[in-house]
Amino acid sequence: MSIIYNPVQSTLTMHTKNSSYQMKIDEHKVLVHTYYGSRIADDDMSYLYMTFDRANAGQFEEVFPDRTISLDTMAQEYTGCGVGDYRISSLLVQNGDGSYGADFRYVKHEIVEGKYAIPGMPHSHDEEKEAQTLIVTIQDKVTKLMVELYYGVFEKQDVITRCAKIINGSNEKITLLKASSMALDFPYGDFDLIHFHGKHALERQMERCHLSHAIETIGSRRNTSSHQHNPFILLANPETNEDFGDCYGFMLVYSGGFKAEVEKDQFDSTRVVMGIQDEAFAWELNSQAAFYTPEVLLSYSNQGLAKLSHNYHDMIRRHITRGKFKNARRPILINNWEATYFDFTDEKIVEIAKEAASLGVEMLVLDDGWFGIRNDDTSGLGDWFVNTDKIRCGLPSLVKQVNDLGLKFGIWIEPEMINEDSDLYRQHPDWALTMPGRVPNRSRHQLVLDMSRDEIVDCIYERISAILRDNPIEYVKWDMNRSICDLWSCSLPYHRQGELAHRYVLGVYKLMDRLTSEFPDVLFEGCSGGGGRFDAGILYYSPQIWCSDDTDPIQRLHIQYGTSFGYPVSSMGAHVSASPNHQTGRTTLLNTRGVVAMSGTFGYELDPSKLSEDEKEQIRIQIETFKLFYDLIQNGKYYRLSNILSKSYEAWQFVSQDKSEALLNVVVTNTQPNPTLMNIKLKGLEKDAIYEVVYKTMPDVKRTFDIMNSPAMKERYMTKKEQMTGSALMHGGYTLPWVVGDYPAIQIHFKKI
Ligand code: GLA
């Protein structure tokens, strides 16, 4: 049993393998939070809390005049509003009488087998029937506003999920102005906040700052989870590092605007509130109507950040992604975007496919520009019909020619968008989000379809599904290339316009659900100008997301490093592109580009006809290497071995779940003459086992390698089948030879003998 109700203590305790989470129904029926941390027995953890007369903290009805008890100082599971807790709140409601008040008390709870679902929204699932659900109902006694707090317990993953169903139990209309998914109070503790900020082409840069008494807010007002902030934050004790210490993760399973707030209050207690962005949010609830918030995945680790990341990787791989490609090996693809941009013909695509097939690539993806009249980004979005000026042979014939070469065929779409220069816009100018009387903001020349309207979702569904039905297409890249503003819908009355941002996201999920259900054999990859919508909501529909439009491997090190805190390698779209790189102009070795892209879904994004024979041969070997290590990389445990900010190299490692093999990856980001030796301590191995080096990358600049390294080092690295114990590799480490060149990369494969 993962969830235990103790009627004597009035506690509800949830246990995962290594953590426990507890709440208590106090004597006044306030649902107080008592504990989240390392696994405990069934203790009543409320003994931890003392009450005092805090002069400025007021009393609620049941406790007055006892000045020692106040909502303003209590740790709560989910807060009301306007009734004397002055910290950030989980919810803001305007009641039928115009007041902004809610004060919740416990009503009942229920423990059920299996995992709850959230209608119309992505959520963690439990195909293996391992989870349990706790539903705790709290209610405001005056307005009868009710909140059902849902908790899902995934014991093996050390994950507890949360969401809230808010029900208007009154006879009047009410308006929700803030409806967060969760609140969590930490009465004690000193924390750092870790979050992931970024921009287009440089997403998810890790930032760690010590919490002060200023309220920290991480979020997006772009109505998409965004390049700028990721809906994933961590709290860690200041001494916590990769391997030691306490840390907590909060990941929102949502793809629209979001808000995560962290407040360290007057008594140094810390409150975390996370959910839908509340700016311009107003959701009207008729009597008895309900609103579901998105889900948050909570996880705790007392073994540092690596373990917390493993919890999330496992959770996403097993309980967020679904369908055929959850476990099946995904094809190694070539995408024509950086090879041709908009400038291609069917012949050019077939030429790319032919070359790619000879290298061992398994799928060709036709990117932007194949539809409507689209020769640049000013026109065509919405017209999901093949452009016969470019694809003169027609789509079925092109797909067949590619298939005949032994390659699968994939295609790019951007279903949520519309160009003013498109037939769809000429037919339905009112389908684009526009505020009355205003010229809408254009971004990349495009406007946003009002996905809250069923007829628009239906039309786009018909157009896209026709393409997928008429052609044996096996992959879809679902792009979304702008932030969303001009929120106004002609289908909603004025007092419901505040629902539009969330209704848009629900419409997108509806379309994703219909297409992924009707085409279960198609692999979907999410994308949003690269990684602008990289979140667990999208991963519910598509198991991988294009990580960034920046394909420079050295920049990718930072992007993939930040992404790895919450998301598994199997979710990160990564390709080898041309050198010099198109985004940064940087020259890198092909081997380095391969090593970095292999720590993702792996593919190519270049024109293979421009490669030398030597490069083609390298690519053939790269593809074989990736296939060889596929399981280890995609399903193994991922360890960050270097701190991106302080070293001249970046190293990371995969270890198979049974610890029988490991793959060490190193990229030297700052090659030096007369360098400091690179000694890297491996992680996660079996300490007494003997590991043999069965594969290692040979140096790219062989002449320098030969001159610089001692004969002993050369012999060891180039010829010896080295053998070491797990403990030697973990405590003594592995010392790398001196390598030079344009960001050289090394891969070393260790196998237990
Ligand atoms: C976005 C994507 C790119 C490419 C272009 C096409 O920027 O991230 O990979 O598909 O759109 O317009």
Side-chain angles (χ1 to χ4, degrees), residues 138-201:
I138 53 178
Q139 190 168 36
D140 179 280
K141 80 170 182 212
V142 176
T143 63
K144 306 285 180 256
L145 178 68
M146 204 147 71
V147 183
E148 288 176 1
L149 299 171
Y150 282 75
Y151 300 81
V153 183
F154 289 88
E155 203 170 335
K156 280 193 203 148
Q157 280 70 38
D158 278 325
V159 168
I160 292 174
T161 70
R162 290 189 59 175
C163 86
K165 180 180 176 187
I166 303 165
I167 306 152
N168 177 6
S170 78
N171 295 324
E172 293 166 304
K173 261 187 201 155
I174 61 166
T175 305
L176 298 176
L177 298 166
K178 180 178 185 181
S180 305
S181 302
M182 55 147 281
L184 186 60
D185 282 331
F186 296 92
Y188 307 111
D190 187 25
F191 293 109
D192 286 349
L193 170 67
I194 300 176
H195 63 103
F196 305 91
H197 70 100
K199 54 189 171 187
H200 174 243

Side-chain angles (χ1 to χ4, degrees), residues 370-372 382-388 463 467:
W370 59 268
F371 53 89
D383 295 343
W384 301 111
F385 308 105
V386 73
N387 177 334
T388 44
R463 289 184 176 195
I467 297 160

Side-chain angles (χ1 to χ4, degrees), residues 433-481:
L433 291 172
T434 321
M435 291 197 212
R438 289 181 201 280
V439 176
N441 183 286
R442 288 126 174 158
S443 186
R444 210 193 187 205
H445 299 278
Q446 61 202 52
L447 302 180
V448 183
L449 284 170
D450 181 353
M451 299 295 285
S452 73
R453 288 166 63 182
D454 280 343
E455 70 273 30
I456 299 179
V457 171
D458 289 345
C459 167
I460 300 298
Y461 167 77
E462 288 308 333
R463 289 184 176 195
I464 305 286
S465 59
I467 297 160
L468 300 182
R469 261 194 299 271
D470 295 347
N471 299 281
I473 289 173
E474 296 178 69
Y475 161 105
V476 168
K477 176 175 171 188
W478 183 307
D479 211 339
M480 194 281 194
N481 275 310

Side-chain angles (χ1 to χ4, degrees), residues 201-216:
L202 198 65
E203 298 86 344
R204 291 171 297 288
Q205 302 298 294
M206 193 258 235
E207 195 162 81
R208 181 171 182 160
C209 50
H210 189 59
L211 275 189
S212 69
H213 290 90
I215 297 174
E216 299 278 358

Side-chain angles (χ1 to χ4, degrees), residues 337 342 367-368 374 412 444 477 479 481 527 529-530 546 549:
W337 180 241
F342 291 105
D367 209 278
D368 194 357
R374 185 144 170 104
W412 179 98
R444 210 193 187 205
K477 176 175 171 188
D479 211 339
N481 275 310
C527 179
W546 182 226
D549 272 350

